[in-house]
Amino acid sequence: MLVERFSMIAFSSAIEALRLANRAAGRDLYRYSLWSEDGTKCTASNGIEIKVSGRFGDVQDFDMLIVCGGLDIQKADHRALHAALRRASARGSAIGAVCTGTYVLAKAGLLDGYRATIHWENLPGLMSEHEGLEIGSDLFEIDRNRFTCAGGTAAADMMLSLIMREHGPTVASNVADQLIHHRIRDSCERQRMDLRMRLGVAHPKLLKVVGLMEASLAEPLGSQELAEAVHLSTRQLERLFLKYLGRSPAKHYLRIRLEHARDLIRQTAMPLLSVAMECGFTSASHFSKAYLDCFGQPPSAERKVVQARALAQA
């Protein structure tokens, strides 16, 4: 089930695992077809058009339906897709999603009572709109007849795990080898590279402080608290950040909070004041100025750009 601007890498990772399972078994373990809203084609986020078999409303009996999402998933009208998914669920079909397709399942009410995951960039937005859902940050989640993954190559790991459950480890291992996928990652593995890789530094105390920053956005910790957490003075912590990251702890912390704010503005309809508070700003004017200094436009302008893009795609 392809949604406009779907992720090509997530789509390819999922469907190639099925194709290679057939090849490894020497018979058709899986048959698959593609569907879109207009029933003729669907365009990926990289601009490549994919031909499909028909419209969402034409989908009949399938053992499994998988929604492949991508960019700006929350801005499209998915009513036809929701209806098709609900009908399939009522018939007993397994329902899955790759990349941001989780958002579609959540909006359709098909994740109530199930564990799920989504791409890390979309996690804050989904959680803000569906506070009652059990949404985590694992690589993928398989909970009874619901399965979701973070996207990208995580789609391959999820499909390999499903193949292993249904047809055994030999078939799954053969598929992984064909994909040059050296191991099938566990569902609980993290989505993002660890801080050591992301920051390009290995200093344990600096990494611990940045980890504390990323975990404390709504209520930012003070410099003294951060320094004491790694048994340094505030002056020593300042020197550590300047040496390895080229900016002060305060500036690095501010950047993390503002990037989180930008994700919320782009992916949710949260009022800007709520976004500010979620990111540790108690003053709307301070938030607006800091955002302008960081990104070259105030948060209100960012929201207008997002709204204009959504109207253009409607």
Side-chain angles (χ1 to χ4, degrees):
M1 312 292 270
L2 300 179
V3 176
E4 280 296 319
R5 306 187 76 199
F6 68 91
S7 165
M8 180 61 78
I9 189 171
F11 165 70
S12 300
S13 296
I15 208 162
E16 280 297 278
L18 301 180
R19 180 186 70 82
L20 290 169
N22 292 345
R23 183 182 180 196
R27 60 189 176 91
D28 282 351
L29 302 178
Y30 299 96
R31 289 178 292 138
Y32 43 83
S33 53
L34 309 178
W35 306 82
S36 73
E37 185 170 19
D38 72 6
T40 61
K41 59 181 174 52
C42 195
T43 306
S45 58
N46 61 7
I48 295 176
E49 288 186 350
I50 299 291
K51 291 182 179 180
V52 301
S53 300
R55 297 180 299 112
F56 294 143
D58 298 330
V59 171
Q60 298 298 320
D61 291 335
F62 284 93
D63 296 325
M64 177 188 300
L65 295 183
I66 303 174
V67 179
C68 185
L71 294 178
D72 297 326
I73 190 75
Q74 72 280 6
K75 298 180 179 66
D77 182 351
H78 301 294
R79 281 177 291 185
L81 180 51
H82 289 164
L85 292 169
R86 290 183 185 122
R87 286 194 299 270
S89 177
R91 291 193 296 263
S93 299
I95 306 293
V98 297
C99 197
T100 59
T102 303
Y103 181 90
V104 176
L105 270 57
K107 292 289 282 187
L110 295 172
L111 291 179
D112 296 345
Y114 293 88
R115 297 188 312 276
T117 190
I118 196 169
H119 191 282
W120 63 266
E121 192 176 43
N122 301 86
L123 182 61
L126 184 63
M127 292 179 68
S128 71
E129 292 191 34
H130 301 276
E131 295 180 359
L133 292 184
E134 191 177 345
I135 304 292
S137 57
D138 288 350
L139 201 63
F140 62 90
E141 281 281 6
I142 301 175
D143 186 358
R144 292 161 285 169
N145 64 345
R146 295 289 185 273
F147 47 95
T148 53
C149 76
T153 57
D157 292 286
M158 183 178 75
M159 299 311 290
L160 286 165
S161 184
L162 290 171
I163 291 166
M164 185 183 299
R165 289 186 178 200
E166 295 173 0
H167 302 291
T170 300
V171 174
S173 296
N174 286 340
V175 173
D177 281 343
Q178 288 293 323
L179 290 169
I180 318 298
H181 200 64
H182 297 298
R183 68 183 182 88
I184 302 172
R185 291 178 291 180
D186 291 332
S187 63
C188 60
E189 294 192 35
R190 67 181 69 194
Q191 294 184 24
R192 304 185 70 184
M193 290 188 295
D194 62 22
L195 281 174
R196 182 189 303 264
M197 296 295 293
R198 276 196 278 141
L199 297 178
V201 299
H203 198 291
K205 293 189 174 183
L206 184 142
L207 294 174
K208 182 175 181 179
V209 170
V210 174
L212 289 171
M213 290 175 173
E214 292 187 350
S216 308
L217 300 179
E219 297 182 7
L221 301 173
S223 297
Q224 187 68 38
E225 290 178 277
L226 293 170
E228 289 177 354
V230 290
H231 308 292
L232 294 176
S233 67
T234 54
R235 181 180 290 274
Q236 288 173 320
L237 186 64
E238 188 94 10
R239 287 201 295 264
L240 192 63
F241 268 75
L242 289 173
K243 177 180 178 180
Y244 287 100
L245 299 180
R247 52 181 173 265
S248 69
K251 287 185 177 179
H252 189 79
Y253 207 169
L254 179 61
R255 178 76 189 198
I256 292 172
R257 290 159 56 206
L258 289 169
E259 288 177 348
H260 182 57
R262 183 171 60 179
D263 287 342
L264 290 175
I265 291 170
R266 290 177 172 179
Q267 298 167 21
T268 75
M270 287 175 64
L272 293 179
L273 182 57
S274 298
V275 172
M277 295 177 67
E278 180 75 16
C279 299
F281 295 90
T282 56
S283 162
S285 59
H286 179 213
F287 173 55
S288 183
K289 183 181 184 306
Y291 199 98
L292 174 63
D293 291 343
C294 186
F295 300 121
Q297 63 180 354
S300 56
E302 184 86 62
R303 175 60 56 80
K304 287 178 181 177
V305 169
V306 171
Q307 291 171 341
R309 187 181 298 130
L311 287 173
Q313 294 170 2

